[in-house]
Amino acid sequence: MQCKSCNTELPKGAKVCPKCGELIDDKHSGNLKVIAVIGLVIALVGGLLPFVQNTDEITDAYSFMSIDMPVLWYIQIVVIVAAILLLVARRDMLSIIPTAISAIIFIVAFVAMDFRLYSSRNAFKTFKLTDLLSKPEYTIGAGTYVFILGIIIAIVGCFIDIMKYFKKDLGVDKRFLTNSINQSIWKKMYYYRGFYLMFLPVLIMVLLFNYWPMLGCRYAFTKYVIKGPYYAGLYHFNQMFTNDIYFWQAFKNTLILSIIKLILNTGAAVIISLLLNEIVSLGFKKTVQTIVYLPHFMSWVVVASVFKMILDPNPTGVVNSILLNWHIIDEPIFFLGSEQYWRGTFYVMNVWKDTGWGTILFLATLSGISPDLYEAAQIDGANRWKRLIYITLPALANTIITVFILNLAKVMNLFESVFVTMNNAVLNVAQVLQTYIYNKTFSSGNSDYGYSTAVGLFKSFVGMILVLGCNYASKKVRGRGIV
């Protein structure tokens, strides 16, 4: 058996690589650490759910957003993330400290702070917890129980993870262990301080533009008012799943357009790659490749403008002019303004623009196939078709599956290509979740930012499920994940 990190041959029964110090069998400890992380995530979700809930009216709920100091929510986020990072850094004992701090913050917010009762958008009153619970229509909300459960799981997971060090020795002579396993993470960071210093601007940019906006997901649980958003619990999600037919229509369109586009683009890329691979003349092959690649570098705004001119519904339009002259149609067709033709036109545009770029991976795979296989098959009497079936396609199969899985994880991010081609006449077949969120936020007179945030959060959740599913499928197909 070899080490996965440095490919060193390992002694029989070794638990740690003698060269790089990598743990060989850390499944037990890894699973235990996941328990603590899951507990912290559950506690974080509990902080978003209502502490106190009106049993009759879902909009009358109270949580971190409904107390006098909502800054406590930010502090709780920081300490929970710190606990997760300490777990990743194998500092299980230290991770208990921020976990306990988050519990204290929860208790303070739940008991010591006044809750805001919004009687209107411009004025509110404050009530203490005892006042709220004294009313028979109020009950302890799900957030209280979920948070307590998450904290218990996190602490238990941490302690179980700590106990593993007392149960079993690593089983390797300490003389063979390198400093990488004995050295603390702080000493490693100081030793490589130059690299961390160079990485610092990138880290700040990622935190500022990628992670800081994620805190805005809290508005999915609020009625957004500029003067001060107030907590509404799961009201938006209830409306989304039960009363909003346009949401489900956009969700269905997203899946249909994305999946069919993915299948067509992948299939067209494979076919063009096979055809390009059969070209003998190198100069001609390079010329065709360049022509096929060029559309990928064009903006979707340019592509949409070009196709609008080509598909102009007037008789002067190229496509309509040809169809009329050949007597295939009697009157011009508005391809981008008809529900019957819009999706087909959309697929054609995507294949034209993205197929060339998709052929790069397949051509790289085809160039790696040994010519000896083709020569041996030709000697055995295999014609070009049989060589394609029994040599080329099996060699491409793994790459095709990999590309398909990687692109499947991005099916929920469909926006620009739809936004520049859709119009009010084709909303029923063209509206996707991204454009639905955009229109709900910016194109209506009474924008509900809380509701559009809830839709975006649901889209992100579905995207996360797809990524995790694709990662699992990738492990089964390729032997390694995509993340």
Side-chain angles (χ1 to χ4, degrees):
M1 187 171 63
Q2 292 181 330
C3 174
K4 295 181 179 180
S5 297
C6 62
N7 296 324
T8 302
E9 192 68 29
L10 299 172
K12 185 177 181 181
K15 300 297 183 182
V16 176
C17 175
K19 183 178 180 181
C20 66
E22 178 75 16
L23 291 176
I24 305 306
D25 186 12
D26 60 341
K27 292 182 180 179
H28 184 61
S29 62
N31 292 335
L32 292 174
K33 187 171 294 184
V34 169
I35 294 175
V37 174
I38 289 175
L40 292 171
V41 173
I42 292 175
L44 180 61
V45 173
L48 296 173
L49 298 176
F51 294 169
V52 180
Q53 177 68 60
N54 188 316
T55 55
D56 298 325
E57 181 60 43
I58 194 172
T59 58
D60 201 358
Y62 303 86
S63 183
F64 272 111
M65 289 296 295
S66 301
I67 62 176
D68 284 339
M69 294 181 62
V71 69
L72 291 177
W73 187 80
Y74 292 97
I75 299 175
Q76 191 198 39
I77 293 289
V78 172
V79 295
I80 289 180
V81 171
I84 294 175
L85 293 177
L86 287 171
L87 286 172
V88 174
R90 300 182 184 275
R91 295 297 181 266
D92 310 327
M93 184 65 76
L94 292 178
S95 67
I96 298 177
I97 298 175
T99 303
I101 293 175
S102 69
I104 295 172
I105 293 174
F106 174 81
I107 294 173
V108 170
F110 186 66
V111 177
M113 294 295 163
D114 290 337
F115 287 83
R116 296 176 178 180
L117 177 61
Y118 282 80
S119 56
S120 67
R121 290 177 177 265
N122 300 319
F124 64 86
K125 302 176 182 179
T126 59
F127 290 86
K128 293 184 180 298
L129 176 66
T130 54
D131 298 331
L132 291 174
L133 296 182
S134 64
K135 299 181 180 180
E137 66 269 19
Y138 289 100
T139 60
I140 298 296
T144 302
Y145 303 109
V146 172
F147 183 86
I148 293 173
L149 176 64
I151 290 295
I152 292 174
I153 293 176
I155 294 177
V156 170
C158 289
F159 275 112
I160 294 176
D161 209 25
I162 293 169
M163 292 301 294
K164 73 179 184 292
Y165 296 111
F166 302 97
K167 291 180 179 180
K168 193 173 182 180
D169 193 273
L170 292 175
V172 176
D173 195 329
K174 293 182 178 180
R175 294 176 299 173
F176 297 103
L177 295 179
T178 63
N179 290 330
S180 62
I181 196 172
N182 297 322
Q183 201 175 39
S184 70
I185 187 171
W186 305 112
K187 290 182 179 179
K188 291 180 182 178
M189 290 179 66
Y190 180 76
Y191 182 79
Y192 295 108
R193 58 188 180 278
F195 296 104
Y196 283 101
L197 186 61
M198 289 190 294
F199 175 68
L200 187 60
V202 178
L203 177 63
I204 293 174
M205 185 188 70
V206 170
L207 292 176
L208 187 62
F209 293 102
N210 292 85
Y211 286 93
W212 179 259
M214 290 174 63
L215 295 177
C217 69
R218 69 190 186 280
Y219 293 121
F221 304 91
T222 67
K223 282 285 189 178
Y224 190 86
V225 184
I226 295 179
K227 291 186 64 176
Y230 57 94
Y231 193 74
L234 302 177
Y235 174 75
H236 294 312
F237 295 94
N238 181 62
Q239 292 292 107
M240 184 196 314
F241 295 140
T242 58
N243 298 326
D244 194 346
I245 59 174
Y246 299 106
F247 163 77
W248 288 112
Q249 186 181 66
F251 183 68
K252 182 185 72 173
N253 290 338
T254 302
L255 294 179
I256 292 174
L257 292 175
S258 297
I259 293 176
I260 294 180
K261 178 176 76 73
L262 174 59
I263 295 173
L264 292 176
N265 284 2
T266 305
V270 171
I271 294 173
I272 292 178
S273 299
L274 294 174
L275 294 175
L276 288 174
N277 192 55
E278 295 294 326
I279 297 177
V280 178
S281 174
L282 185 60
F284 182 68
K285 181 178 180 180
K286 294 293 184 182
T287 302
V288 174
Q289 284 180 326
T290 303
I291 294 173
V292 172
Y293 293 162
L294 282 178
H296 174 77
F297 299 99
M298 298 174 62
S299 168
W300 265 111
V301 176
V302 177
V303 172
S305 300
V306 171
F307 272 86
K308 283 179 181 179
M309 289 189 293
I310 296 175
L311 302 174
D312 192 341
N314 296 318
T316 56
V318 177
V319 174
N320 279 297
S321 176
I322 294 175
L323 295 178
L324 288 171
N325 291 335
W326 290 356
H327 303 289
I328 298 177
I329 58 175
D330 297 327
E331 58 182 13
I333 300 174
F334 192 5
F335 289 95
L336 292 176
S338 170
E339 293 185 0
Q340 181 180 358
Y341 297 101
W342 187 89
R343 283 183 177 173
T345 306
F346 175 78
Y347 298 141
V348 171
M349 293 171 61
N350 276 270
V351 170
W352 179 79
K353 184 179 187 299
D354 295 331
T355 298
W357 184 256
T359 60
I360 293 177
L361 288 176
F362 300 117
L363 284 174
T365 303
L366 290 172
S367 64
I369 302 176
S370 175
D372 297 340
L373 295 175
Y374 291 107
E375 293 176 2
Q378 193 171 6
I379 292 173
D380 291 338
N383 56 26
R384 179 171 293 182
W385 176 252
K386 289 185 176 179
R387 294 198 296 271
L388 172 68
I389 296 296
Y390 295 107
I391 298 177
T392 307
L393 289 181
L396 274 180
N398 190 46
T399 305
I400 294 173
I401 295 173
T402 301
V403 171
F404 188 83
I405 290 174
L406 290 172
N407 290 328
L408 184 62
K410 301 183 292 185
V411 297
M412 302 301 294
N413 296 328
L414 193 63
F415 175 71
E416 188 178 6
S417 56
V418 175
F419 184 74
V420 296
T421 56
M422 66 182 295
N423 51 71
N424 292 334
V426 294
L427 283 180
N428 291 335
V429 296
Q431 184 84 285
V432 295
L433 283 179
Q434 293 275 51
T435 58
Y436 176 75
I437 295 171
Y438 177 87
N439 292 330
K440 198 76 174 177
T441 305
F442 300 109
S443 300
S444 58
N446 52 348
S447 300
D448 191 343
Y449 298 109
Y451 185 81
S452 57
T453 303
V455 177
L457 185 61
F458 173 77
K459 180 190 74 68
S460 300
F461 177 77
V462 175
M464 181 191 70
I465 298 299
L466 288 173
V467 169
L468 294 177
C470 292
N471 188 58
Y472 177 79
S474 178
K475 289 180 179 179
K476 293 296 183 181
V477 174
R478 303 191 301 165
R480 58 188 177 89
I482 58 178
V483 293

